[in-house]
Amino acid sequence: MSIQILDIVLYANGRMPRVLSLKPGRLNIITGDSKTGKSALVSIVDYCLGSGSYEVPHGVIREHVVWYGLRLTDGEAQHFVARRAPAKNRQSTTDAFYSSGVELPIPLLEELAVTTNIDSVAERLGMVSGIALNRHDPPADRTRLPLSANLRHALAYVFQPQTEISQPGFLFHGQNDTWFAQAIKDSFPYFLGAVEEDYVGKSAMLKELRRELRVKEQALTRIGTLTSDGSISALISEARDVGLLPEDYASESSAGDMAALSGVMSRPIADQIAEQLDGPDQAELARLNDRRSGLRRELHRLDDEIRAMVELRNEENAYTHEASEQVSRLESIGLLEPSVGSHCPLCSQPSDRVPLYAELEAELRAASAQLEAVRRSTPGLEALIVEKRREFDLVRIDLQDNWASLEAVRRSDQRLSSMRDTATRRALVLGRISATVESYPTRGDSSSLQGSIMDLAEKIRLLEADLGDDAVRERADSILSRLSERMTRWAGFLELEHSGVPFRLDRKKLEVVADGDEGPIPMSVMGSGANWLGCHLIAHLALHEWFVRKDRPVPRFLFLDQPSQVYFPAEVDVGSDGETLLDEDRMAVVRIFELIKNVVSELAPNMQVIITEHADLHEEWFQAAIIERWRHGEALIPLEWR
């Protein structure tokens, strides 16, 4: 069973919660005077179930209520959802509280906290209601996005506020919004049960089967193209043309040709591609290439020698500099008098700590001799470096001439260019031969591949038939035809103006149509608020009976706000005596409530109807269904709150 309402709860600061308790599986009537808050109940329940706007009327309710709550049942567990009232400068809020359990007490205000957001609550309650994974894909020529039906779409069948219940222009809650009306149309087949429950799974399977079919069809086409007799003969001709087969090879049969092509593939591919590039006509090119390699080696050798010589010269220059400095220091002894014995050459005092004059003079002669030897060898090294650099330049010139010769040969040798093209063609032909040889063994299995393709095509056809628009349309029309029988019977019970002809629900226009003798009569042109009200009632009751009997994922309650309003003068409030009504109008109102009572009784305990009403009829069953009576100061908001 889907969800029904146990309690509607209002919270105010410093006050005990205001609890309006309802009976699941029953007819629940709240009757009372105007301006007592009856019509606000629809907006409150809608707000708690995820409405995107805050439609609670301005006045005493908005002034006092800080949280709105609902206690729900799904037949096995209870769910409590509360939504905070928006701040005065805001139009809405997503702050919400949610809990579930086998039996839940109604929490106090101080126990409420923001534990989630209202979108998550709506998604959770959608799952509780039984809304499974679903998807509606618009026709290919439409630009709107795919749609997944959710709780908000299901609530279009649940609420009939005072401003909608007798409207001639639209039938469902929120239908006056063009975008939401389209969403109702798109999700309608799902809620009816015209769409397969595993639609999403079957759609994914269909997509995978189509992909697999494309792969196998491409494989079959490729095998047919590569291994056809004409293709093999053409490939044999190309192989002869590029020299992969002898020029005198004669084709006898496809099997023989495939054997010859397999033999081609048995030889190394690289050798076959380069085979003609090794002929004698390429001697000049080979000689130039060899010469170029030798010149490059010679160039590297000379460069290494020059580097070594330059490094040696740099080291000799460093030594010469140091030796010259040493000679200059030693030559300064010429300023001194020659010393005798162990006297200092500077002060002539006896000393054993300084070298003798004779020793310094001997050191000077040795350093001068070494420096002279270095100077004599350095000119020879410099000359060698100059010579090597000249050789290096000559080799580099030869290398440039060699490159120019190579380019000239390549530009002038047309046959070489042709042979390069042949090598390229050989590579392409070898690739095709390889693909053909690899595919040929599967040619014998093409019949099994064709059988597999036929099986896939049949599976796809069946799935497309199940998921296609035509199948959904046929199932939806069949269901609506069955609903039409109930609607026609109930239209007669309510004595609507066009009773006696079939009544049906037009799912494209989302309105009730009576099929008269002269053609269809849409609800919008019937005239009379009583007819509009009657069309709303028979359509919603027929739908909810179907939802219950087929266990469809729609909440198991219907909220009707003042269905008898079309029979009352706008300025008169009807009390329990009902004296304001004429006998005929009173009987019409009784028939309305009696029809609702009968449908609820037939579907008990799986259907709950909640009615807010001015009228307070004397009928015993009507009085038994009254939950609260708001008169003489009693109202939705208690007196002590004001």
Side-chain angles (χ1 to χ4, degrees):
M1 184 179 76
S2 187
I3 56 175
Q4 297 186 30
I5 302 175
L6 295 176
D7 303 282
I8 302 173
V9 188
L10 309 183
Y11 293 90
N13 289 319
R15 303 292 184 180
M16 291 298 294
R18 165 68 164 105
V19 180
L20 174 61
S21 296
L22 304 172
K23 298 177 181 178
R26 299 275 299 277
L27 173 62
N28 296 259
I29 299 175
I30 299 99
T31 184
D33 297 334
S34 297
K35 301 178 182 179
T36 55
K38 299 188 303 295
S39 294
L41 290 175
V42 171
S43 300
I44 290 170
V45 175
D46 195 14
Y47 182 69
C48 289
L49 294 178
S51 172
S53 58
Y54 183 50
E55 303 294 340
V56 176
H58 286 269
V60 65
I61 302 176
R62 287 200 181 204
E63 291 173 2
H64 292 89
V65 177
V66 295
W67 281 82
Y68 300 91
L70 288 181
R71 190 159 66 104
L72 307 166
T73 179
D74 61 10
E76 296 180 356
Q78 295 181 3
H79 309 266
F80 187 85
V81 53
R83 188 174 181 185
R84 191 199 298 272
K88 291 185 178 180
N89 59 344
R90 297 186 60 186
Q91 297 299 316
S92 185
T93 179
T94 60
D95 294 347
F97 169 89
Y98 175 80
S99 64
S100 63
V102 177
E103 290 189 11
L104 291 176
I106 295 175
L108 299 174
L109 176 60
E110 52 268 23
E111 296 175 316
L112 296 181
V114 179
T115 60
T116 183
N117 61 68
I118 196 62
D119 294 333
S120 297
V121 171
E123 184 176 355
R124 169 65 178 168
L125 293 178
M127 291 188 290
V128 170
S129 299
I131 298 177
L133 189 63
N134 65 88
R135 178 185 172 100
H136 169 78
D137 292 304
D141 59 341
R142 304 300 170 88
T143 58
R144 63 181 185 273
L145 298 174
L147 175 104
S148 294
N150 56 42
L151 180 66
R152 294 305 305 171
H153 300 129
L155 294 177
Y157 311 101
V158 164
F159 297 118
Q160 285 286 280
Q162 183 181 8
T163 56
E164 295 179 353
I165 195 168
S166 58
Q167 275 288 330
F170 50 85
L171 183 63
F172 298 105
H173 181 55
Q175 186 183 336
N176 57 327
D177 181 289
T178 303
W179 295 104
F180 191 70
Q182 185 60 57
I184 295 174
K185 294 177 184 179
D186 290 342
S187 60
F188 191 61
Y190 170 73
F191 288 115
L192 280 182
V195 176
E196 297 283 347
E197 287 297 325
D198 56 351
Y199 178 88
V200 175
K202 285 187 175 180
S203 296
M205 182 184 298
L206 178 60
K207 183 177 181 181
E208 177 60 25
L209 289 177
R210 285 171 174 167
R211 186 199 65 79
E212 186 178 351
L213 179 62
R214 285 195 302 272
V215 171
K216 292 193 174 184
E217 286 178 338
Q218 290 170 357
L220 184 62
T221 301
R222 185 168 59 252
I223 291 174
T225 300
L226 292 175
T227 62
S228 64
D229 292 342
S231 177
I232 294 175
S233 297
L235 197 56
I236 288 292
S237 297
E238 290 188 40
R240 280 199 303 259
D241 189 44
V242 297
L244 293 174
L245 288 175
E247 294 183 0
D248 58 351
Y249 175 82
S251 176
E252 297 180 355
S253 65
S254 295
D257 290 342
M258 285 304 303
L261 293 176
S262 298
V264 170
M265 293 308 301
S266 65
R267 297 173 55 199
I269 294 178
D271 292 348
Q272 297 190 66
I273 293 176
E275 189 174 53
Q276 290 190 353
L277 296 178
D278 296 331
D281 294 336
Q282 305 307 308
E284 177 63 15
L285 186 63
R287 186 189 67 77
L288 289 172
N289 281 326
D290 291 342
R291 173 63 176 159
R292 182 173 182 79
S293 298
L295 289 172
R296 291 177 65 86
R297 288 194 299 270
E298 181 68 13
L299 197 67
H300 287 305
R301 183 185 65 77
L302 290 172
D303 185 61
D304 290 341
E305 290 183 0
I306 291 171
R307 288 176 182 274
M309 291 178 184
V310 170
E311 185 177 353
L312 178 59
R313 183 190 62 187
N314 291 339
E315 291 177 356
E316 290 176 349
N317 288 341
Y319 176 77
T320 301
H321 176 74
E322 290 297 329
S324 298
E325 288 291 329
Q326 184 68 17
V327 169
S328 298
R329 294 190 191 99
L330 292 174
E331 285 178 344
S332 62
I333 66 172
L335 301 176
L336 303 176
E337 291 293 333
S339 59
V340 180
S342 59
H343 290 79
C344 174
L346 296 177
C347 63
S348 300
Q349 295 296 321
S351 174
D352 56 359
R353 299 182 181 177
V354 296
L356 298 177
Y357 183 92
E359 293 175 350
L360 293 175
E361 188 179 19
E363 187 67 28
L364 173 60
R365 287 195 301 272
S368 298
Q370 292 176 357
L371 180 59
E372 185 63 25
V374 170
R375 287 173 178 167
R376 284 197 304 270
S377 63
T378 298
L381 181 59
E382 289 290 347
L384 189 57
I385 291 174
V386 171
E387 180 64 25
K388 290 297 181 183
R389 282 178 173 166
R390 186 181 299 110
E391 292 181 24
F392 182 87
D393 291 339
L394 291 174
V395 172
R396 185 168 56 185
I397 292 172
D398 289 344
L399 193 60
Q400 292 173 350
D401 293 341
N402 175 267
W403 176 255
S405 299
L406 280 171
E407 287 300 304
V409 170
R410 287 167 180 161
R411 284 194 301 267
S412 62
D413 192 345
Q414 297 298 325
R415 186 172 182 278
L416 177 62
S417 176
S418 174
M419 292 175 66
R420 284 201 300 267
D421 292 342
T422 300
T424 302
R425 288 183 58 202
R426 277 193 168 202
L428 294 175
V429 173
L430 281 169
R432 292 182 55 199
I433 292 174
S434 175
T436 302
V437 170
E438 291 176 359
S439 301
Y440 192 78
T442 62
R443 187 184 187 188
D445 300 330
S446 61
S447 58
S448 62
L449 187 58
Q450 289 175 341
S452 178
I453 289 174
M454 293 178 62
D455 291 342
L456 285 173
E458 179 64 15
K459 290 179 181 179
I460 290 172
R461 187 188 67 79
L462 294 175
L463 279 176
E464 287 177 339
D466 286 342
L467 302 177
D469 291 339
D470 291 341
V472 172
R473 189 181 304 111
E474 289 177 1
R475 287 192 289 265
D477 290 343
S478 175
I479 294 170
L480 292 178
S481 176
R482 298 177 63 180
L483 297 184
S484 174
E485 185 275 328
R486 295 169 176 79
M487 293 171 62
T488 301
R489 176 160 44 88
W490 291 339
F493 180 84
L494 295 179
E495 299 181 5
L496 300 184
E497 181 178 350
H498 299 282
S499 58
V501 301
F503 278 69
R504 59 182 171 84
L505 179 58
D506 186 333
R507 72 183 186 94
K508 293 183 178 179
K509 298 181 179 179
L510 298 180
E511 65 176 352
V512 174
V513 177
D515 290 317
D517 294 337
E518 297 181 357
I521 306 171
M523 174 182 71
S524 57
V525 299
M526 286 183 182
S528 170
N531 285 323
W532 301 334
L533 170 69
C535 287
H536 278 251
L537 289 178
I538 63 176
H540 281 276
L541 290 174
L543 284 170
H544 276 275
E545 183 187 41
W546 179 264
F547 294 154
V548 171
R549 296 195 186 283
K550 298 301 179 181
D551 196 24
R552 299 308 302 152
V554 177
R556 296 288 186 263
F557 65 86
L558 176 62
F559 214 122
L560 305 175
D561 185 20
Q562 303 185 62
S564 67
Q565 63 182 319
V566 297
Y567 297 97
F568 297 132
E571 70 278 2
V572 178
D573 193 17
V574 180
S576 60
D577 54 5
E579 292 179 357
T580 320
L581 290 176
L582 300 175
D583 288 342
E584 184 177 346
D585 289 341
R586 185 182 185 282
M587 291 304 299
V589 172
V590 170
R591 285 194 296 270
I592 287 172
F593 285 102
E594 191 172 1
L595 173 62
I596 297 170
K597 172 187 71 74
N598 292 340
V599 173
V600 172
S601 298
E602 290 176 6
L603 300 178
N606 296 316
M607 184 62 191
Q608 178 188 45
V609 175
I610 305 159
I611 302 177
T612 56
E613 184 55 67
H614 280 288
D616 195 343
L617 304 180
H618 291 300
E619 274 71 9
E620 182 178 350
W621 51 266
F622 186 95
Q623 294 295 313
I626 294 176
I627 299 300
E628 288 192 10
R629 185 176 280 108
W630 295 347
R631 303 185 191 278
H632 310 296
E634 295 293 328
L636 176 62
I637 301 300
L639 285 173
E640 60 269 21
W641 285 22
R642 305 175 202 177

